[in-house]
Amino acid sequence: MYESTLLDHYHHPRNTGKLEPADRQHREPNPLCGDVIEVFLKLDADGKVADVAWEGSGCAVSQASMSALSEKLVGKSKVELDAMGVQDIERSLETSINPARLKCATLGLVAVQKALRQEKP
Amino acid sequence: MLDIFAIRKDFPILARQVNGKPLVYLDNGATSQKPLSVLQAMDDFQRNHNANVHRGIYTLSEEATALYEGAREKIRQFINARSVEEIIFTRNATEAINLVALSWARQKLVAGDEVLTTEMEHHSNIVPWQMLAKERGIMLKFVPAKPDLGTLDLGLFETLLTPKTKLVCVGHMSNLLGTVNPVKTFVEKSHAVGAKVLIDGCQAVPHLPVDVQQLGADFYAFSGHKMLGPTGIGVLWARKEILDATEPVLGGGDMIKEVTKVGATWNDLPWKFEAGTPNVVGAIGLGAAVDYLTKVGMENIWQHEQDMATYVLPKLTAIPGVQLFGMQKPSLDRGAIFSIWIDGMHPHDIASIFDEQGIAIRAGHMCSQPMLEVLGKPAAARASFYLYNTQAEADVFLNAIEDAKKVFGV
Ligand SMILES: Cc1ncc(COP(=O)(O)O)c(C=O)c1O
């Protein structure tokens, strides 16, 4: 699981920071391990993701997954994002995620999906 | 000296491979593996003697009752309780502690009274008291821990202890640090102000000799599954005088003497606190576990764990970047539990890398969030040893830390 792509994303996370103001914002904790990811999204006129930033802390799997995911978000609609799953993250990270770590790997995706379900703040 | 290789043969699961490697099971703090004798005792009961207990007049029911009550007597002997009346079967230690909170404490404590627990406790010895405190206006206070030493602050304990203190709750051995707390001192000081003492013995009873009469506490809780027994069975030991003066909380079958439309009278101890059909198989399994532990000898098991700690501690603390929580050096007040933090590597990642090598350790908050907060860390990776763990397994564990550090470049 700890292949070079995953470790690279963990050590050099992409798109970190905040977007202020953001069109959508959501903070998703994982109570099991204390990992947290907060995402900030800007949307275009069609409601597709125009820009993304995120902050987080926790294990390599959750942080690298969010980093890799953040590179795939721009241009995606809510429907497209809802259809995404761990397999997309595995593809981006070029590794397979152990079943015990699925929650870690999808923490960022869940944060993004929940952010898009909200109304504009 | 334990004959570990003979012992290991008694535990079928230890022959398993995990991810192509021999299983190295180092999560005994969470639950222990089960010897064949325990599995067989439970199987034999269900195949050959199964019936409900305390009910039938027929042979099978008498056999089942004798086996169930026989297990209680084994546990009485194992912790040297005065009488089987003081041995109440519960689901686990958590339920045992909650039983004290919901019965004795709820009936005797009033607003303004104080309960003391410690920062080092497992959540199960904190949350029930928080719930009770909220419901009844009771004040809950925490005996601070000294994070650098891994011990409780006895000086502050004494200042927190006042005539308002009605109950003191303390763990016998910490599941995060492996520290053996001076519970006898806690008992003496608490009794001096008239407070009762509840000891969470979950990590002690499996690992060292425990004599409840010698400790002199009022309540003592432990779980079967951490001491070679099955899940779903635990024990509350409590003084007979206290149990006699306490009303039951669960009503139903088995806990009554006589029921009329007007009311009911309670059964004798310990059944007064065991409403409904109990976990008969679980109790029998725990009885067999106690037989096994007694055969090996608790002194020998504790000595083995001391030997393990003596072997592991200097090597573990010498690995650059490894921060070990609690006592850094071998000590009679420390078991073979090793919780670590490595900067740049989350405990879950450590545990995943270990899993790839067949090594089972625990990662996370270990149900000890208040203590982790004191230590200033969100989580820990914990290896906890037991009677069947070998020095070779300790080496696998130590080498795996070095390997994991390489993967992460720390
Ligand atoms: C010190 C301590 N107390 C209580 C418990 C709770 O045990 P159980 O979950 O079996 O009730 C544990 C188990 O993790 C423990 O280590």
Side-chain angles (χ1 to χ4, degrees):
Chain A
M1 188 161 68
Y2 295 94
E3 322 288 347
S4 55
T5 313
L6 185 149
L7 289 168
D8 182 56
H9 274 282
Y10 176 55
H11 287 131
H12 312 283
R14 327 291 201 258
N15 299 312
T16 51
K18 289 182 179 173
L19 292 180
E20 281 171 329
D23 294 319
R24 298 284 188 279
Q25 183 177 340
H26 180 77
R27 186 174 184 277
E28 184 71 14
N30 179 355
L32 216 74
C33 53
D35 288 6
V36 182
I37 286 175
E38 183 162 19
V39 290
F40 304 83
L41 302 173
K42 278 194 198 270
L43 306 182
D44 65 17
D46 301 328
K48 292 186 175 166
V49 176
D51 199 1
V52 53
W54 66 279
E55 291 186 325
S57 64
C59 67
V61 177
S62 68
Q63 305 301 299
S65 298
M66 182 65 225
S67 172
L69 178 69
S70 72
E71 295 186 313
K72 302 271 145 90
L73 290 178
V74 172
K76 289 236 163 43
S77 69
K78 178 176 176 298
V79 176
E80 286 171 312
L81 282 164
D82 277 341
M84 285 177 79
V86 72
Q87 63 289 346
D88 299 286
I89 287 158
E90 289 180 317
R91 209 171 301 128
S92 310
L93 292 176
E94 300 174 308
T95 187
S96 64
I97 301 290
N98 298 348
R101 303 300 296 283
L102 285 183
K103 274 239 157 66
C104 304
T106 52
L107 187 67
L109 179 59
V110 169
V112 170
Q113 289 168 340
K114 287 192 179 170
L116 280 169
R117 243 168 263 156
Q118 292 163 358
E119 293 306 308
K120 193 174 163 65
Chain B
M1 274 283 278
L2 298 189
D3 184 351
I4 301 181
F5 294 95
I7 286 173
R8 287 182 71 83
K9 290 210 180 74
D10 294 332
F11 291 78
I13 205 170
L14 297 181
R16 245 202 84 158
Q17 303 262 313
V18 170
N19 295 323
K21 303 273 170 51
L23 167 67
V24 175
Y25 186 76
L26 297 177
D27 195 17
N28 296 286
T31 199
S32 66
Q33 300 302 345
K34 324 298 171 197
L36 208 52
S37 60
V38 167
L39 307 178
Q40 281 166 345
M42 292 166 60
D43 186 65
D44 176 59
F45 171 73
Q46 308 222 70
R47 281 175 199 272
N48 300 314
H49 308 284
N50 179 56
N52 210 325
V53 292
H54 307 140
R55 282 168 176 73
I57 303 301
Y58 52 92
T59 304
L60 275 189
S61 176
E62 274 173 29
E63 288 173 7
T65 305
L67 285 165
Y68 179 64
E69 293 302 334
R72 196 191 308 273
E73 166 58 21
K74 289 176 185 183
I75 290 150
R76 182 202 66 75
Q77 277 183 32
F78 190 63
I79 60 168
N80 194 31
R82 270 180 306 174
S83 148
V84 286
E85 293 172 298
E86 299 184 328
I87 305 290
I88 297 165
F89 283 125
T90 62
R91 274 193 308 138
N92 47 37
T94 302
E95 189 175 279
I97 296 169
N98 276 273
L99 177 55
V100 177
L102 294 173
S103 63
W104 176 82
R106 211 159 181 243
Q107 291 160 28
K108 309 289 179 198
L109 272 50
V110 296
D113 284 348
E114 295 183 1
V115 172
L116 273 188
T117 184
T118 89
E119 288 179 342
M120 217 188 267
E121 297 314 297
H122 187 277
H123 292 165
S124 62
N125 207 13
I126 295 175
V127 182
W129 309 118
Q130 289 174 330
M131 293 163 77
L132 185 75
K134 196 166 168 203
E135 181 191 306
R136 290 293 157 100
I138 290 160
M139 184 75 156
L140 178 64
K141 293 187 171 169
F142 286 80
V143 178
K146 298 177 174 170
D148 44 336
L149 298 179
T151 55
L152 291 170
D153 191 325
L154 291 183
L156 286 176
F157 164 56
E158 289 195 46
T159 53
L160 285 167
L161 201 58
T162 73
K164 283 191 185 167
T165 314
K166 291 295 173 324
L167 177 68
V168 174
C169 305
V170 59
H172 198 159
M173 175 155 112
S174 160
N175 60 303
L176 182 67
L177 309 176
T179 305
V180 179
N181 287 314
V183 284
K184 235 188 140 191
T185 307
F186 269 76
V187 170
E188 282 157 12
K189 305 253 186 244
S190 306
H191 282 175
V193 301
K196 300 268 187 280
V197 178
L198 180 147
I199 300 178
D200 172 2
C202 233
Q203 296 293 344
V205 176
H207 302 283
L208 47 95
V210 169
D211 178 331
V212 290
Q213 292 191 64
Q214 193 256 339
L215 291 174
D218 302 286
F219 306 99
Y220 197 101
F222 55 100
S223 283
H225 66 93
K226 294 183 202 280
M227 51 187 288
L228 313 184
T231 50
I233 189 84
V235 174
L236 172 66
W237 169 86
R239 284 182 187 283
K240 180 176 180 323
E241 314 85 86
I242 297 175
L243 293 174
D244 273 334
T246 304
E247 291 289 293
V249 273
L250 294 181
D254 242 21
M255 54 76 70
I256 48 85
K257 267 261 153 72
E258 206 173 27
V259 182
T260 67
K261 282 193 278 184
V262 183
T265 50
W266 309 146
N267 200 346
D268 298 328
L269 290 174
W271 307 293
K272 177 172 127 182
F273 290 98
E274 292 182 0
T277 300
N279 182 356
V280 182
V281 196
I284 289 167
L286 180 55
V290 160
D291 284 343
Y292 189 91
L293 291 169
T294 306
K295 193 182 78 193
V296 177
M298 291 311 294
E299 294 281 359
N300 296 331
I301 292 171
W302 183 234
Q303 185 57 50
H304 172 66
E305 294 182 23
Q306 295 268 302
D307 293 347
M308 280 288 142
T310 303
Y311 182 75
V312 169
L313 283 168
K315 294 190 162 59
L316 183 59
T317 50
I319 301 175
V322 169
Q323 299 174 52
L324 172 77
F325 299 146
M327 294 184 187
Q328 306 289 305
K329 297 222 158 64
S331 151
L332 286 175
D333 297 328
R334 194 197 196 295
I337 288 179
F338 311 102
S339 290
I340 60 169
W341 174 268
I342 301 174
D343 276 337
M345 264 175 90
H346 191 281
H348 276 190
D349 297 319
I350 302 176
S352 277
I353 292 175
F354 277 34
D355 182 50
E356 288 170 5
Q357 303 183 33
I359 310 168
I361 60 161
R362 177 86 188 271
H365 58 51
M366 247 66 84
C367 297
S368 301
Q369 282 182 309
M371 188 63 216
L372 281 166
E373 197 185 321
V374 171
L375 292 162
K377 294 288 187 296
R382 177 188 71 186
S384 49
F385 288 63
Y386 206 4
L387 76 168
Y388 38 63
N389 291 121
T390 63
Q391 199 162 306
E393 288 180 313
D395 286 331
V396 172
F397 162 66
L398 292 161
N399 290 333
I401 297 177
E402 300 278 13
D403 292 347
K405 282 178 57 191
K406 277 189 209 115
V407 171
F408 273 78
V410 298

